């Protein structure tokens, strides 16, 4: 069976062809970063999550989470906000518009590999 | 006969596994967002409904009011005594304001429909709060809460029809148990994967 090349994409369903054209986001090829983005993208628009809640949701260590969040914040995929309650400091993380778009493109590319639903 | 297992290096099964994992993470994040509002608070209000309404229908004064007030206190404590949520929602303040509006409007609406027998007034208020919960459920895309709260409104009307049943007992237990079950499910932590 011949695999569809770029010149034959028009023969595929439009949604599937779009997915095949979608590029992977090189930052999100790291599975931990992709999972962090998945958790933040699932929140309602403007919603943010505490560091400890992200760590519990993903089941990863604080050190691992902290280093990947720093990378995502540096490229502008994640926004941070610090709040104080008395002397207690809480850092909140929220996905940015750029982060949401990158995640959606990456997921579209993954769907392109899996193929159209049978 | 055993099916051939896909090789771990198979990009298609790898991608499918990643997508399934992302879906599961999305569900856990969604639970973390909903649990503070529809976990312990619904457990409290489920108990309040299941105990308070039957008490109003079957106990004499002043005990009916005492038990009703205690049941309401359980709901209020469960709503406001929870630990700090792990997810912040920018619309939470407006939603809280809308709830206070419904509660503040309740005595005025009672005055509009009065005079009614006390049991009908109790059902009217239950249905009113059911509508408020249903609106909240629509605003937050919460299908389970919409089903429970919408069902509560319908049940409040249905229990007024048949003879020979205790409307407040049936309504209180029906709505209370549904709220309680939903609250317990939402308050139960989801195991994280990997």
């Amino acid at each position: 069976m011949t695999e569809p090349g770029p010149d034959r994409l028009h023969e595929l369903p439009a949604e599937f062809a779009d997915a095949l054209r979608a590029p992977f986001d090189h930052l999100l090829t790291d599975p931990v970063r992709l999972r962090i983005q998945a958790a933040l993208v699932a929140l309602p628009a403007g919603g943010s999550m505490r560091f400890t809640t992200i760590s519990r949701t993903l089941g990863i260590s604080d050190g691992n989470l902290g280093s990947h969040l720093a990378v995502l914040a540096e490229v502008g995929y994640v926004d941070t906000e610090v709040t104080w309650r008395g002397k207690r400091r809480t850092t909140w993380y929220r996905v940015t518009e750029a982060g949401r778009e990158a995640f959606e493109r990456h997921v579209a590319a993954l769907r392109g590999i899996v193929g159209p639903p049978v | 006969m055993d099916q051939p297992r896909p090789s771990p290096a198979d990009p298609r099964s790898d991608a499918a596994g990643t997508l399934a994992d992302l879906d599961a993470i999305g569900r856990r994040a969604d639970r973390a967002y909903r649990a503070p509002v529809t976990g312990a608070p619904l457990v409290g209000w489920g108990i309040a409904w299941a105990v308070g309404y039957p008490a109003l229908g079957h106990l004499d004064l002043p005990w009916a009011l005492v038990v009703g007030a205690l049941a309401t206190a359980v709901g209020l404590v469960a709503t406001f005594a929870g630990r700090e949520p792990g997810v912040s929602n920018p619309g939470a303040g407006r939603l809280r304001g809308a709830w206070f509006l419904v509660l503040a409007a309740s005595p005025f609406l009672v005055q509009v429909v009065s005079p009614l027998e006390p049991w009908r007034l109790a059902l009217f208020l239950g249905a009113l709060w059911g509508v408020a919960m249903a609106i909240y459920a629509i605003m937050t895309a919460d299908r389970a809460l919409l089903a429970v709260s919408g069902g509560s409104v319908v049940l409040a009307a249905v229990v007024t029809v048949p003879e020979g049943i205790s409307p407040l007992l049936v309504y209180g237990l029906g709505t209370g148990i549904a709220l309680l079950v939903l609250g317990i499910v939402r308050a139960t932590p989801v195991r994280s994967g990997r």
Side-chain angles (χ1 to χ4, degrees):
Chain A
M1 193 181 92
T2 314
E3 292 291 326
D7 55 328
R8 295 186 60 202
L9 284 178
H10 66 277
E11 293 173 18
L12 297 168
E15 194 183 338
F16 186 42
D18 286 346
L20 282 176
R21 288 189 197 100
F24 282 106
D25 186 286
H26 74 281
L27 276 168
L28 298 183
T29 50
D30 182 285
V32 177
R33 284 181 216 142
L34 182 62
R35 299 177 89 226
I36 293 170
Q37 287 296 102
L40 296 178
V41 164
L43 301 180
S48 50
M49 208 181 241
R50 285 154 65 125
F51 184 92
T52 47
T53 308
I54 303 175
S55 155
R56 213 173 25 243
T57 302
L58 302 181
I60 58 176
S61 71
D62 289 357
N64 195 10
L65 176 61
S67 62
H68 285 293
L69 275 171
V71 172
L72 290 169
E74 196 180 319
V75 296
Y77 284 2
V78 165
D79 249 352
T80 61
E81 186 188 358
V82 175
T83 58
W84 293 87
R85 197 178 223 189
K87 288 183 177 174
R88 194 169 156 209
R89 179 181 190 268
T90 305
T91 308
W92 299 87
Y93 296 87
R94 175 177 46 232
V95 70
T96 62
E97 201 47 48
R100 191 178 291 275
E101 284 169 9
F103 176 80
E104 281 163 6
R105 276 198 306 274
H106 195 88
V107 167
L110 283 171
R111 290 210 175 99
I113 293 176
V114 174
V118 180
Chain B
M1 197 176 90
D2 285 341
Q3 294 292 318
R5 291 171 66 85
S7 146
D10 175 9
R12 183 179 285 234
S13 71
D14 235 20
T18 302
L19 287 171
D21 182 44
L22 298 181
D23 276 348
I25 290 168
R27 283 196 297 277
R28 286 202 295 275
D30 186 66
R31 178 73 66 84
Y33 156 63
R34 295 192 190 284
V37 183
T38 58
L42 285 192
V43 171
W45 289 113
I47 293 169
W49 246 260
V51 174
Y53 271 95
L56 289 176
H58 291 272
L59 295 181
D60 294 326
L61 289 173
W63 295 111
L65 291 179
V66 170
V67 175
L70 284 175
T72 306
V74 169
L76 289 171
V77 167
T79 302
F80 293 108
R83 62 197 173 104
E84 198 183 354
V87 176
S88 85
N89 177 2
R94 285 195 298 275
L95 288 171
R96 238 187 331 268
W99 267 111
F100 280 118
L101 176 71
V102 171
L103 293 177
S106 297
F108 297 102
L109 294 174
V110 165
Q111 180 60 33
V112 170
V113 296
S114 292
L116 280 181
E117 301 99 311
W119 68 271
R120 275 195 190 273
L121 271 182
L123 285 177
F124 172 76
L125 282 176
L128 172 67
W129 298 332
V131 169
M133 270 194 274
I135 291 171
Y136 170 83
I138 289 170
M139 288 171 71
T140 57
D142 190 336
R143 288 181 191 175
L145 183 61
L146 180 60
V148 169
S149 52
S152 160
V153 177
V154 174
L155 183 61
V158 168
V159 295
T160 62
V161 178
E163 300 280 334
I165 66 159
S166 167
L168 294 184
L169 180 71
V170 174
Y171 173 70
L173 288 180
T175 299
I177 290 170
L179 290 173
L180 190 61
V181 169
L182 181 58
I184 289 171
V185 169
R186 293 275 166 88
T188 306
V190 181
R191 226 159 40 91
S192 56
R194 281 195 195 178

